[in-house]
Amino acid sequence: MNSPPVPLPAEHIPPGTADWRTPDAERWLATVPARWAHPLWAVLALVVSMFWYMGEAPLAPCTSAEPCGTDWSGLGMMVVLVVTPYWVWRQPRLALAGLAAGLVGFAEDGGFTESFGEPYALAYPVAAAFTTAGIVHRLTLAGRQRALAREAAGPVAQPLPAAALTFRRGRFSFALAALMLAAAGFGSWQAQQVADAYEERAAGATHLSGLVVAQEQDDDGTDILKVEADERTHRFETAFPEDFPEGSRVDIVVDGDWAALVAEPYDAFGWETLVLGGAAAALGFFANGVDGRTRSARLRRRPLPVLKVLVREGHEDARTWVFAADDRQGLQPILHFHSLHAFEEEDEEEQKEGDEGEADAVDLTKVRQILRGDDPPPPLREAVLYGAPYAGAEVALAARLDADEPEVLVECSVSAVKPAVPGLVESSVTAAQPAVPGLLARGAKSRRRKNERRSVEEIAATMTPGPGLRVWKAHGFSRAVGLCLLVVQGGGIWAMLDDGPSWSWLWLPVALAWLISTVATMLTWRITADRDGLWVTGAWRVRRVEWDAITAVRHHEDGIRIGTGKGHDNVDLAPTGWAWLERRLGREPYAVRAADEVRALHLDPELRPAEEAPASRQGMPAGPPLVALSVLWGAAVLLLL
């Protein structure tokens, strides 16, 4: 039986504070964006359209009049294009500015002119329009959530507790932004050094006109131009050999043994890449810091709506989960965020100067429990939530840590509020899918199952009754991942054999052994339960495990582990899926459910089948056929090359 929530002393509850009750919370959760507006789709659309455009759009040729040197304005536009997908996910308002800047750069590059005739040029404006519509949709519904929260709170408004007034956000982001900006500055300085060195040497060099006599590649695959000028043959590395066909004339500068193409004077690509990565990261961190600082300042500026809620700290990721005030069992979370404790400056000084004996009197039992991973889950606590919560909001709360701690502490959010709705990977301003009857309960139930095992009775209630054989086998998601890995395996064999015999072939047996085992398990894993025990089909064999030999069954690291007692080898079936991604997609991992049901059969003999499994129902490993298929594929590749 669950313990009652840790109470909050009445003197810490502002007068007139309203309870955030389940009906109001469900109305708040129902106001979430549609699935199409999830930022994942917008980010994919933007990234794919950008790569498509960069891969297909014709580039201006390098000429002596317009050499291909460092384009700082173009690099600045690339920084915006790189950071905009991140902003779509984390900073949607800034993303609107990034999209506008990207469209301006797209227009200057001639993209709108080309888009009337080329699909690759039309893709980016369409992706930008789709992204903008999604952002506006998400922000509009976030505004409705704020209005619903204010309506639930009523007319009462209270200032933040004193401890929260000294809490500051953004320092770490600003420090990282400064570090990344320094890296970008160093890369810019080095690139400019390369350009200046060329300009200085070219100023005193001899300018000649040469004839391109050949194009070739060196052993590393680098394109080389052979140019004859002044009765000498010069060799130049080039990134764009198509700009210099054989028989054309090019301008070169020569100074003794040093020579350079005027159209491609120097190569500072590595330093420019450092500038691009450093500047994009610096801009992203700086925007995060400014946003955090602005939001926390806005929170302190005026009295805020207050709501009485229940909170619980996540057992695995330390998130703060918020529940309705009347949800005394903590079954249906409303929202979550990460938070840190805030202390008044005097409290910090007292803590430093206080009695050190209390710090030394650490409960070693709790420490050992935490290290072993069997510490009890954090308790449900009564709390007062300051600020109108909505997707992307900043809030604070006051609550006790646990029943043994009488002091009330203030916590301030350090990440944006996110609705507790199952679906795709959650973002700062959206939940993945609209709430429907029963969806919230399923999300809460699947979240609890990550932290605690279900009872046999609960598992049995979800199983279809009957005396027939029970079979769990590779499902659609597992097979999809297995097929993707099979394609990777085929491509890897082709890539390694493409260059002929080399030392890299030594990696083939190791890589193929792992890939074949993984692919075979993903595609055809199977557990068949009959009256006497389990038939477990892995990559290479089918194992028989009697019911009396089983000691434990659990889902472990994307696999199913069947313990068979001390002195015997456990039966491991892995991988059987990708539990993390399945949860992000709002589904209960199939392998987790399979492990639970097998465990229920082990613990309750009455649930076991009454039949014995025939050979045709025991499964067949796919490892040996995949080995033969890989050998045939490798032979075909060698014949085709």
mmCIF file of all heavy atoms in Angstrom, residues 321-339:
data_model
loop_
_atom_site.group_PDB
_atom_site.id
_atom_site.type_symbol
_atom_site.label_atom_id
_atom_site.label_comp_id
_atom_site.label_asym_id
_atom_site.label_seq_id
_atom_site.Cartn_x
_atom_site.Cartn_y
_atom_site.Cartn_z
ATOM 1 N N TRP A 321 8.294 15.438 -11.337
ATOM 2 C CA TRP A 321 7.003 15.125 -11.946
ATOM 3 C C TRP A 321 5.900 15.745 -11.104
ATOM 4 O O TRP A 321 5.905 15.635 -9.888
ATOM 5 C CB TRP A 321 6.800 13.611 -12.025
ATOM 6 C CG TRP A 321 7.783 12.945 -12.941
ATOM 7 C CD1 TRP A 321 9.028 12.501 -12.635
ATOM 8 C CD2 TRP A 321 7.601 12.674 -14.333
ATOM 9 N NE1 TRP A 321 9.638 11.959 -13.736
ATOM 10 C CE2 TRP A 321 8.778 12.050 -14.800
ATOM 11 C CE3 TRP A 321 6.551 12.880 -15.230
ATOM 12 C CZ2 TRP A 321 8.937 11.645 -16.126
ATOM 13 C CZ3 TRP A 321 6.704 12.476 -16.550
ATOM 14 C CH2 TRP A 321 7.889 11.869 -16.982
ATOM 15 N N VAL A 322 4.963 16.401 -11.751
ATOM 16 C CA VAL A 322 3.876 17.115 -11.078
ATOM 17 C C VAL A 322 2.568 16.356 -11.307
ATOM 18 O O VAL A 322 2.253 15.967 -12.447
ATOM 19 C CB VAL A 322 3.761 18.561 -11.594
ATOM 20 C CG1 VAL A 322 2.572 19.264 -10.959
ATOM 21 C CG2 VAL A 322 5.048 19.324 -11.311
ATOM 22 N N PHE A 323 1.810 16.169 -10.220
ATOM 23 C CA PHE A 323 0.532 15.460 -10.261
ATOM 24 C C PHE A 323 -0.570 16.376 -9.722
ATOM 25 O O PHE A 323 -0.294 17.351 -9.005
ATOM 26 C CB PHE A 323 0.586 14.181 -9.412
ATOM 27 C CG PHE A 323 1.670 13.220 -9.816
ATOM 28 C CD1 PHE A 323 2.971 13.407 -9.370
ATOM 29 C CD2 PHE A 323 1.394 12.143 -10.633
ATOM 30 C CE1 PHE A 323 3.985 12.524 -9.735
ATOM 31 C CE2 PHE A 323 2.405 11.254 -10.996
ATOM 32 C CZ PHE A 323 3.693 11.447 -10.548
ATOM 33 N N ALA A 324 -1.809 16.042 -10.052
ATOM 34 C CA ALA A 324 -2.948 16.797 -9.523
ATOM 35 C C ALA A 324 -3.013 16.638 -8.006
ATOM 36 O O ALA A 324 -2.592 15.617 -7.449
ATOM 37 C CB ALA A 324 -4.245 16.311 -10.163
ATOM 38 N N ALA A 325 -3.550 17.646 -7.341
ATOM 39 C CA ALA A 325 -3.587 17.641 -5.876
ATOM 40 C C ALA A 325 -4.455 16.518 -5.328
ATOM 41 O O ALA A 325 -4.243 16.064 -4.193
ATOM 42 C CB ALA A 325 -4.102 18.992 -5.372
ATOM 43 N N ASP A 326 -5.441 16.046 -6.114
ATOM 44 C CA ASP A 326 -6.298 14.966 -5.633
ATOM 45 C C ASP A 326 -5.852 13.594 -6.134
ATOM 46 O O ASP A 326 -6.523 12.589 -5.898
ATOM 47 C CB ASP A 326 -7.752 15.218 -6.040
ATOM 48 C CG ASP A 326 -7.905 15.425 -7.541
ATOM 49 O OD1 ASP A 326 -6.877 15.528 -8.237
ATOM 50 O OD2 ASP A 326 -9.060 15.483 -8.018
ATOM 51 N N ASP A 327 -4.721 13.536 -6.825
ATOM 52 C CA ASP A 327 -4.175 12.252 -7.280
ATOM 53 C C ASP A 327 -3.248 11.721 -6.191
ATOM 54 O O ASP A 327 -2.018 11.749 -6.319
ATOM 55 C CB ASP A 327 -3.441 12.445 -8.613
ATOM 56 C CG ASP A 327 -2.934 11.133 -9.195
ATOM 57 O OD1 ASP A 327 -3.251 10.072 -8.636
ATOM 58 O OD2 ASP A 327 -2.197 11.186 -10.205
ATOM 59 N N ARG A 328 -3.805 11.226 -5.102
ATOM 60 C CA ARG A 328 -3.029 10.861 -3.916
ATOM 61 C C ARG A 328 -2.142 9.640 -4.138
ATOM 62 O O ARG A 328 -1.252 9.380 -3.338
ATOM 63 C CB ARG A 328 -3.963 10.589 -2.731
ATOM 64 C CG ARG A 328 -4.982 11.688 -2.462
ATOM 65 C CD ARG A 328 -4.350 12.976 -2.018
ATOM 66 N NE ARG A 328 -3.843 12.903 -0.652
ATOM 67 C CZ ARG A 328 -3.255 13.928 -0.025
ATOM 68 N NH1 ARG A 328 -3.096 15.083 -0.650
ATOM 69 N NH2 ARG A 328 -2.825 13.789 1.229
ATOM 70 N N GLN A 329 -2.359 8.877 -5.196
ATOM 71 C CA GLN A 329 -1.518 7.722 -5.496
ATOM 72 C C GLN A 329 -0.433 8.056 -6.523
ATOM 73 O O GLN A 329 0.441 7.233 -6.780
ATOM 74 C CB GLN A 329 -2.371 6.563 -6.024
ATOM 75 C CG GLN A 329 -3.466 6.117 -5.076
ATOM 76 C CD GLN A 329 -2.901 5.594 -3.762
ATOM 77 O OE1 GLN A 329 -1.903 4.895 -3.742
ATOM 78 N NE2 GLN A 329 -3.546 5.950 -2.661
ATOM 79 N N GLY A 330 -0.483 9.244 -7.108
ATOM 80 C CA GLY A 330 0.512 9.621 -8.113
ATOM 81 C C GLY A 330 0.438 8.768 -9.359
ATOM 82 O O GLY A 330 1.456 8.294 -9.871
ATOM 83 N N LEU A 331 -0.781 8.580 -9.889
ATOM 84 C CA LEU A 331 -0.973 7.683 -11.027
ATOM 85 C C LEU A 331 -0.875 8.383 -12.371
ATOM 86 O O LEU A 331 -0.470 7.775 -13.356
ATOM 87 C CB LEU A 331 -2.346 6.993 -10.912
ATOM 88 C CG LEU A 331 -2.565 6.138 -9.662
ATOM 89 C CD1 LEU A 331 -3.971 5.555 -9.669
ATOM 90 C CD2 LEU A 331 -1.523 5.026 -9.589
ATOM 91 N N GLN A 332 -1.272 9.671 -12.426
ATOM 92 C CA GLN A 332 -1.345 10.357 -13.709
ATOM 93 C C GLN A 332 -0.544 11.658 -13.658
ATOM 94 O O GLN A 332 -1.058 12.691 -13.219
ATOM 95 C CB GLN A 332 -2.804 10.658 -14.067
ATOM 96 C CG GLN A 332 -3.666 9.426 -14.218
ATOM 97 C CD GLN A 332 -5.082 9.764 -14.642
ATOM 98 O OE1 GLN A 332 -5.471 10.927 -14.685
ATOM 99 N NE2 GLN A 332 -5.861 8.747 -14.953
ATOM 100 N N PRO A 333 0.715 11.644 -14.088
ATOM 101 C CA PRO A 333 1.495 12.886 -14.085
ATOM 102 C C PRO A 333 0.937 13.895 -15.079
ATOM 103 O O PRO A 333 0.384 13.521 -16.120
ATOM 104 C CB PRO A 333 2.901 12.415 -14.488
ATOM 105 C CG PRO A 333 2.671 11.146 -15.227
ATOM 106 C CD PRO A 333 1.472 10.506 -14.612
ATOM 107 N N ILE A 334 1.100 15.160 -14.736
ATOM 108 C CA ILE A 334 0.609 16.236 -15.609
ATOM 109 C C ILE A 334 1.754 16.816 -16.435
ATOM 110 O O ILE A 334 1.651 16.987 -17.642
ATOM 111 C CB ILE A 334 -0.042 17.368 -14.778
ATOM 112 C CG1 ILE A 334 -1.111 16.810 -13.848
ATOM 113 C CG2 ILE A 334 -0.623 18.431 -15.691
ATOM 114 C CD1 ILE A 334 -1.622 17.834 -12.839
ATOM 115 N N LEU A 335 2.855 17.097 -15.765
ATOM 116 C CA LEU A 335 3.987 17.718 -16.450
ATOM 117 C C LEU A 335 5.268 17.343 -15.718
ATOM 118 O O LEU A 335 5.239 16.763 -14.636
ATOM 119 C CB LEU A 335 3.808 19.234 -16.517
ATOM 120 C CG LEU A 335 3.588 19.978 -15.188
ATOM 121 C CD1 LEU A 335 4.905 20.443 -14.570
ATOM 122 C CD2 LEU A 335 2.669 21.171 -15.399
ATOM 123 N N HIS A 336 6.399 17.700 -16.321
ATOM 124 C CA HIS A 336 7.679 17.418 -15.671
ATOM 125 C C HIS A 336 8.724 18.430 -16.126
ATOM 126 O O HIS A 336 8.574 19.093 -17.165
ATOM 127 C CB HIS A 336 8.145 15.987 -15.976
ATOM 128 C CG HIS A 336 8.356 15.712 -17.440
ATOM 129 N ND1 HIS A 336 9.544 15.957 -18.080
ATOM 130 C CD2 HIS A 336 7.518 15.220 -18.385
ATOM 131 C CE1 HIS A 336 9.441 15.627 -19.351
ATOM 132 N NE2 HIS A 336 8.217 15.180 -19.561
ATOM 133 N N PHE A 337 9.775 18.541 -15.343
ATOM 134 C CA PHE A 337 10.900 19.430 -15.653
ATOM 135 C C PHE A 337 12.047 19.053 -14.730
ATOM 136 O O PHE A 337 11.872 18.329 -13.748
ATOM 137 C CB PHE A 337 10.514 20.907 -15.457
ATOM 138 C CG PHE A 337 9.893 21.216 -14.121
ATOM 139 C CD1 PHE A 337 10.681 21.501 -13.004
ATOM 140 C CD2 PHE A 337 8.515 21.209 -13.963
ATOM 141 C CE1 PHE A 337 10.103 21.769 -11.771
ATOM 142 C CE2 PHE A 337 7.925 21.478 -12.738
ATOM 143 C CZ PHE A 337 8.721 21.761 -11.634
ATOM 144 N N HIS A 338 13.239 19.529 -15.041
ATOM 145 C CA HIS A 338 14.374 19.384 -14.137
ATOM 146 C C HIS A 338 14.464 20.635 -13.265
ATOM 147 O O HIS A 338 14.173 21.737 -13.730
ATOM 148 C CB HIS A 338 15.679 19.209 -14.917
ATOM 149 C CG HIS A 338 15.820 17.853 -15.538
ATOM 150 N ND1 HIS A 338 15.423 17.583 -16.827
ATOM 151 C CD2 HIS A 338 16.305 16.677 -15.035
ATOM 152 C CE1 HIS A 338 15.665 16.310 -17.101
ATOM 153 N NE2 HIS A 338 16.192 15.744 -16.039
ATOM 154 N N SER A 339 14.877 20.460 -12.026
ATOM 155 C CA SER A 339 14.917 21.603 -11.106
ATOM 156 C C SER A 339 16.138 21.502 -10.200
ATOM 157 O O SER A 339 16.739 20.432 -10.047
ATOM 158 C CB SER A 339 13.634 21.663 -10.263
ATOM 159 O OG SER A 339 13.516 20.482 -9.470
#
